[in-house]
C-alpha cells in the first residue's frame, strides 16, 4: 500500500507584528502595528490582535490606524529581523519534517 503525499502549510498571522512582540518584551501588552511609512500614504501591513481589537486593519492608512489605536507601537518592516525569525522557524520545523520550504510572509510548507 502506498502512502499518499501529505503537506502541511504553516502560517503565522501578522508575522511582522508577531516577531516585533517576540523580540521586545516591552511590547508584550501593547498593540503593535507595522506600516509602510510614517506618512499620510503609509499603510498597515500587519497588526497584532490587540491592534485589530481597536479596529486596525491591513491596508488602512497610517493616520487612520493611529486614530483607531493611538497607544499602538508603530514600526516599519524590518527585513533582517523577518529573515532571521523565518530561519529560526524553519530550523525548528526541520525537526519534524525532512522537507521544509519557506513560502514567504511568515508561511512555510512541510512535506
Amino acid at each position: 500500500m502506498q502512502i499518499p503525499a501529505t503537506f502541511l502549510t504553516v502560517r503565522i498571522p501578522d508575522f511582522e507584528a508577531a516577531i516585533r512582540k517576540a523580540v521586545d518584551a516591552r511590547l508584550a501588552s501593547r498593540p503593535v502595528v507595522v506600516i509602510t511609512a510614517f506618512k499620510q500614504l503609509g499603510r498597515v501591513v500587519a497588526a497584532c490582535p490587540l491592534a485589530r481589537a481597536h479596529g486596525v486593519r491591513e491596508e488602512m492608512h497610517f493616520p487612520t490606524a493611529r486614530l483607531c489605536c493611538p497607544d499602538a507601537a508603530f514600526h516599519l518592516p524590518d527585513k533582517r529581523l523577518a529573515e532571521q525569525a523565518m530561519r529560526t522557524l524553519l530550523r525548528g520545523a526541520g525537526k519534524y519534517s525532512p522537507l521544509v520550504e519557506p513560502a514567504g510572509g511568515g508561511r512555510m510548507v512541510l512535506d
Side-chain angles (χ1 to χ4, degrees), residues 29-57:
S29 62
R30 287 189 66 194
V32 174
V33 180
V34 179
I35 56 174
T36 59
F38 287 100
K39 297 178 181 177
Q40 289 291 99
L41 297 179
R43 292 188 177 265
V44 172
V45 294
C48 77
L50 286 173
R52 288 187 179 279
H54 285 90
V56 177
R57 299 289 180 260

mmCIF file of all heavy atoms in Angstrom, residues 29-57:
data_model
loop_
_atom_site.group_PDB
_atom_site.id
_atom_site.type_symbol
_atom_site.label_atom_id
_atom_site.label_comp_id
_atom_site.label_asym_id
_atom_site.label_seq_id
_atom_site.Cartn_x
_atom_site.Cartn_y
_atom_site.Cartn_z
ATOM 1 N N SER A 29 2.342 43.707 26.074
ATOM 2 C CA SER A 29 0.965 44.095 26.413
ATOM 3 C C SER A 29 0.469 45.295 25.606
ATOM 4 O O SER A 29 -0.590 45.835 25.890
ATOM 5 C CB SER A 29 0.879 44.412 27.912
ATOM 6 O OG SER A 29 1.727 45.501 28.225
ATOM 7 N N ARG A 30 1.235 45.678 24.582
ATOM 8 C CA ARG A 30 0.841 46.821 23.759
ATOM 9 C C ARG A 30 0.374 46.386 22.377
ATOM 10 O O ARG A 30 0.848 45.392 21.840
ATOM 11 C CB ARG A 30 2.026 47.770 23.557
ATOM 12 C CG ARG A 30 2.368 48.550 24.807
ATOM 13 C CD ARG A 30 3.368 49.611 24.516
ATOM 14 N NE ARG A 30 2.834 50.642 23.623
ATOM 15 C CZ ARG A 30 3.604 51.526 23.012
ATOM 16 N NH1 ARG A 30 4.910 51.506 23.168
ATOM 17 N NH2 ARG A 30 3.071 52.436 22.221
ATOM 18 N N PRO A 31 -0.524 47.156 21.779
ATOM 19 C CA PRO A 31 -0.865 46.902 20.377
ATOM 20 C C PRO A 31 0.346 47.230 19.507
ATOM 21 O O PRO A 31 1.022 48.231 19.740
ATOM 22 C CB PRO A 31 -2.006 47.872 20.089
ATOM 23 C CG PRO A 31 -2.440 48.419 21.400
ATOM 24 C CD PRO A 31 -1.302 48.248 22.356
ATOM 25 N N VAL A 32 0.621 46.390 18.534
ATOM 26 C CA VAL A 32 1.750 46.603 17.623
ATOM 27 C C VAL A 32 1.216 46.634 16.192
ATOM 28 O O VAL A 32 0.441 45.756 15.795
ATOM 29 C CB VAL A 32 2.821 45.499 17.778
ATOM 30 C CG1 VAL A 32 3.915 45.648 16.734
ATOM 31 C CG2 VAL A 32 3.421 45.540 19.176
ATOM 32 N N VAL A 33 1.659 47.649 15.443
ATOM 33 C CA VAL A 33 1.240 47.812 14.060
ATOM 34 C C VAL A 33 2.486 48.042 13.215
ATOM 35 O O VAL A 33 3.337 48.863 13.562
ATOM 36 C CB VAL A 33 0.273 49.010 13.905
ATOM 37 C CG1 VAL A 33 -0.163 49.170 12.459
ATOM 38 C CG2 VAL A 33 -0.931 48.851 14.824
ATOM 39 N N VAL A 34 2.601 47.330 12.109
ATOM 40 C CA VAL A 34 3.701 47.522 11.177
ATOM 41 C C VAL A 34 3.128 48.236 9.953
ATOM 42 O O VAL A 34 2.113 47.809 9.395
ATOM 43 C CB VAL A 34 4.362 46.181 10.787
ATOM 44 C CG1 VAL A 34 5.485 46.395 9.794
ATOM 45 C CG2 VAL A 34 4.876 45.474 12.038
ATOM 46 N N ILE A 35 3.798 49.337 9.578
ATOM 47 C CA ILE A 35 3.307 50.184 8.491
ATOM 48 C C ILE A 35 4.395 50.384 7.442
ATOM 49 O O ILE A 35 5.577 50.186 7.715
ATOM 50 C CB ILE A 35 2.848 51.560 9.033
ATOM 51 C CG1 ILE A 35 3.991 52.228 9.806
ATOM 52 C CG2 ILE A 35 1.618 51.417 9.901
ATOM 53 C CD1 ILE A 35 3.718 53.635 10.253
ATOM 54 N N THR A 36 3.989 50.786 6.252
ATOM 55 C CA THR A 36 4.958 51.002 5.168
ATOM 56 C C THR A 36 5.723 52.305 5.310
ATOM 57 O O THR A 36 6.848 52.417 4.837
ATOM 58 C CB THR A 36 4.265 50.979 3.797
ATOM 59 O OG1 THR A 36 3.266 52.012 3.762
ATOM 60 C CG2 THR A 36 3.638 49.632 3.512
ATOM 61 N N ALA A 37 5.124 53.317 5.938
ATOM 62 C CA ALA A 37 5.780 54.621 6.091
ATOM 63 C C ALA A 37 5.040 55.444 7.134
ATOM 64 O O ALA A 37 3.837 55.283 7.323
ATOM 65 C CB ALA A 37 5.795 55.370 4.763
ATOM 66 N N PHE A 38 5.781 56.344 7.797
ATOM 67 C CA PHE A 38 5.174 57.266 8.757
ATOM 68 C C PHE A 38 4.704 58.520 8.024
ATOM 69 O O PHE A 38 5.113 59.633 8.313
ATOM 70 C CB PHE A 38 6.195 57.645 9.844
ATOM 71 C CG PHE A 38 6.465 56.553 10.810
ATOM 72 C CD1 PHE A 38 7.602 55.769 10.689
ATOM 73 C CD2 PHE A 38 5.590 56.285 11.852
ATOM 74 C CE1 PHE A 38 7.860 54.747 11.601
ATOM 75 C CE2 PHE A 38 5.833 55.272 12.763
ATOM 76 C CZ PHE A 38 6.978 54.496 12.638
ATOM 77 N N LYS A 39 3.847 58.332 7.038
ATOM 78 C CA LYS A 39 3.342 59.431 6.214
ATOM 79 C C LYS A 39 1.858 59.214 5.971
ATOM 80 O O LYS A 39 1.316 58.155 6.257
ATOM 81 C CB LYS A 39 4.073 59.479 4.866
ATOM 82 C CG LYS A 39 5.552 59.757 4.995
ATOM 83 C CD LYS A 39 6.210 59.749 3.628
ATOM 84 C CE LYS A 39 7.689 60.005 3.784
ATOM 85 N NZ LYS A 39 8.400 59.938 2.528
ATOM 86 N N GLN A 40 1.230 60.194 5.374
ATOM 87 C CA GLN A 40 -0.196 60.116 5.066
ATOM 88 C C GLN A 40 -0.539 58.851 4.281
ATOM 89 O O GLN A 40 -1.564 58.233 4.510
ATOM 90 C CB GLN A 40 -0.645 61.346 4.279
ATOM 91 C CG GLN A 40 -0.675 62.616 5.071
ATOM 92 C CD GLN A 40 -1.759 62.609 6.118
ATOM 93 O OE1 GLN A 40 -1.496 62.351 7.278
ATOM 94 N NE2 GLN A 40 -2.975 62.892 5.711
ATOM 95 N N LEU A 41 0.312 58.505 3.322
ATOM 96 C CA LEU A 41 0.011 57.367 2.458
ATOM 97 C C LEU A 41 0.582 56.047 2.975
ATOM 98 O O LEU A 41 0.442 55.025 2.324
ATOM 99 C CB LEU A 41 0.498 57.640 1.035
ATOM 100 C CG LEU A 41 -0.185 58.816 0.337
ATOM 101 C CD1 LEU A 41 0.389 59.008 -1.056
ATOM 102 C CD2 LEU A 41 -1.693 58.605 0.271
ATOM 103 N N GLY A 42 1.244 56.076 4.136
ATOM 104 C CA GLY A 42 1.724 54.835 4.725
ATOM 105 C C GLY A 42 0.551 53.912 5.016
ATOM 106 O O GLY A 42 -0.532 54.376 5.387
ATOM 107 N N ARG A 43 0.747 52.625 4.812
ATOM 108 C CA ARG A 43 -0.337 51.658 5.018
ATOM 109 C C ARG A 43 0.067 50.580 6.000
ATOM 110 O O ARG A 43 1.230 50.232 6.120
ATOM 111 C CB ARG A 43 -0.734 51.020 3.698
ATOM 112 C CG ARG A 43 -1.394 51.987 2.748
ATOM 113 C CD ARG A 43 -1.943 51.236 1.543
ATOM 114 N NE ARG A 43 -2.629 52.140 0.663
ATOM 115 C CZ ARG A 43 -3.954 52.349 0.697
ATOM 116 N NH1 ARG A 43 -4.692 51.719 1.551
ATOM 117 N NH2 ARG A 43 -4.512 53.194 -0.148
ATOM 118 N N VAL A 44 -0.924 50.020 6.657
ATOM 119 C CA VAL A 44 -0.711 48.930 7.607
ATOM 120 C C VAL A 44 -0.419 47.649 6.832
ATOM 121 O O VAL A 44 -1.148 47.295 5.908
ATOM 122 C CB VAL A 44 -1.956 48.732 8.506
ATOM 123 C CG1 VAL A 44 -1.820 47.486 9.369
ATOM 124 C CG2 VAL A 44 -2.210 49.964 9.348
ATOM 125 N N VAL A 45 0.663 46.964 7.207
ATOM 126 C CA VAL A 45 0.980 45.671 6.603
ATOM 127 C C VAL A 45 0.755 44.525 7.585
ATOM 128 O O VAL A 45 0.588 43.380 7.176
ATOM 129 C CB VAL A 45 2.414 45.611 6.030
ATOM 130 C CG1 VAL A 45 2.560 46.561 4.865
ATOM 131 C CG2 VAL A 45 3.445 45.899 7.089
ATOM 132 N N ALA A 46 0.741 44.828 8.892
ATOM 133 C CA ALA A 46 0.482 43.801 9.910
ATOM 134 C C ALA A 46 0.017 44.489 11.186
ATOM 135 O O ALA A 46 0.488 45.574 11.522
ATOM 136 C CB ALA A 46 1.733 42.983 10.181
ATOM 137 N N ALA A 47 -0.901 43.849 11.892
ATOM 138 C CA ALA A 47 -1.398 44.374 13.159
ATOM 139 C C ALA A 47 -1.663 43.201 14.093
ATOM 140 O O ALA A 47 -2.297 42.216 13.696
ATOM 141 C CB ALA A 47 -2.675 45.181 12.943
ATOM 142 N N CYS A 48 -1.180 43.305 15.314
ATOM 143 C CA CYS A 48 -1.391 42.229 16.280
ATOM 144 C C CYS A 48 -2.867 42.212 16.704
ATOM 145 O O CYS A 48 -3.614 43.161 16.440
ATOM 146 C CB CYS A 48 -0.465 42.412 17.477
ATOM 147 S SG CYS A 48 -0.995 43.695 18.630
ATOM 148 N N PRO A 49 -3.305 41.149 17.370
ATOM 149 C CA PRO A 49 -4.710 41.071 17.789
ATOM 150 C C PRO A 49 -5.173 42.247 18.651
ATOM 151 O O PRO A 49 -6.323 42.682 18.521
ATOM 152 C CB PRO A 49 -4.766 39.749 18.569
ATOM 153 C CG PRO A 49 -3.707 38.901 17.926
ATOM 154 C CD PRO A 49 -2.598 39.872 17.622
ATOM 155 N N LEU A 50 -4.307 42.783 19.503
ATOM 156 C CA LEU A 50 -4.708 43.942 20.314
ATOM 157 C C LEU A 50 -5.030 45.146 19.432
ATOM 158 O O LEU A 50 -5.997 45.867 19.681
ATOM 159 C CB LEU A 50 -3.591 44.315 21.294
ATOM 160 C CG LEU A 50 -3.396 43.407 22.495
ATOM 161 C CD1 LEU A 50 -2.147 43.818 23.267
ATOM 162 C CD2 LEU A 50 -4.611 43.442 23.398
ATOM 163 N N ALA A 51 -4.226 45.374 18.413
ATOM 164 C CA ALA A 51 -4.484 46.485 17.492
ATOM 165 C C ALA A 51 -5.746 46.215 16.675
ATOM 166 O O ALA A 51 -6.545 47.131 16.429
ATOM 167 C CB ALA A 51 -3.287 46.696 16.571
ATOM 168 N N ARG A 52 -5.938 44.976 16.258
ATOM 169 C CA ARG A 52 -7.141 44.630 15.492
ATOM 170 C C ARG A 52 -8.403 44.842 16.329
ATOM 171 O O ARG A 52 -9.446 45.234 15.811
ATOM 172 C CB ARG A 52 -7.058 43.195 14.987
ATOM 173 C CG ARG A 52 -6.042 43.053 13.862
ATOM 174 C CD ARG A 52 -6.091 41.656 13.252
ATOM 175 N NE ARG A 52 -5.133 41.568 12.170
ATOM 176 C CZ ARG A 52 -5.339 42.005 10.939
ATOM 177 N NH1 ARG A 52 -6.479 42.559 10.616
ATOM 178 N NH2 ARG A 52 -4.402 41.867 10.017
ATOM 179 N N ALA A 53 -8.294 44.587 17.626
ATOM 180 C CA ALA A 53 -9.447 44.799 18.515
ATOM 181 C C ALA A 53 -9.853 46.274 18.564
ATOM 182 O O ALA A 53 -11.013 46.583 18.843
ATOM 183 C CB ALA A 53 -9.122 44.302 19.920
ATOM 184 N N HIS A 54 -8.922 47.163 18.253
ATOM 185 C CA HIS A 54 -9.212 48.599 18.191
ATOM 186 C C HIS A 54 -9.645 49.045 16.794
ATOM 187 O O HIS A 54 -9.844 50.226 16.550
ATOM 188 C CB HIS A 54 -7.983 49.407 18.620
ATOM 189 C CG HIS A 54 -7.743 49.389 20.091
ATOM 190 N ND1 HIS A 54 -6.963 48.438 20.705
ATOM 191 C CD2 HIS A 54 -8.211 50.204 21.066
ATOM 192 C CE1 HIS A 54 -6.934 48.670 21.999
ATOM 193 N NE2 HIS A 54 -7.687 49.733 22.248
ATOM 194 N N GLY A 55 -9.748 48.098 15.864
ATOM 195 C CA GLY A 55 -10.229 48.421 14.521
ATOM 196 C C GLY A 55 -9.160 48.575 13.461
ATOM 197 O O GLY A 55 -9.465 48.893 12.316
ATOM 198 N N VAL A 56 -7.888 48.356 13.798
ATOM 199 C CA VAL A 56 -6.815 48.482 12.811
ATOM 200 C C VAL A 56 -6.872 47.288 11.861
ATOM 201 O O VAL A 56 -7.011 46.143 12.294
ATOM 202 C CB VAL A 56 -5.431 48.559 13.500
ATOM 203 C CG1 VAL A 56 -4.318 48.612 12.466
ATOM 204 C CG2 VAL A 56 -5.377 49.776 14.426
ATOM 205 N N ARG A 57 -6.748 47.559 10.565
ATOM 206 C CA ARG A 57 -6.806 46.515 9.545
ATOM 207 C C ARG A 57 -5.695 46.715 8.523
ATOM 208 O O ARG A 57 -5.224 47.847 8.316
ATOM 209 C CB ARG A 57 -8.156 46.554 8.800
ATOM 210 C CG ARG A 57 -9.357 46.314 9.680
ATOM 211 C CD ARG A 57 -9.417 44.852 10.144
ATOM 212 N NE ARG A 57 -10.566 44.583 10.985
ATOM 213 C CZ ARG A 57 -10.544 44.511 12.312
ATOM 214 N NH1 ARG A 57 -9.424 44.714 12.957
ATOM 215 N NH2 ARG A 57 -11.629 44.243 12.993
#
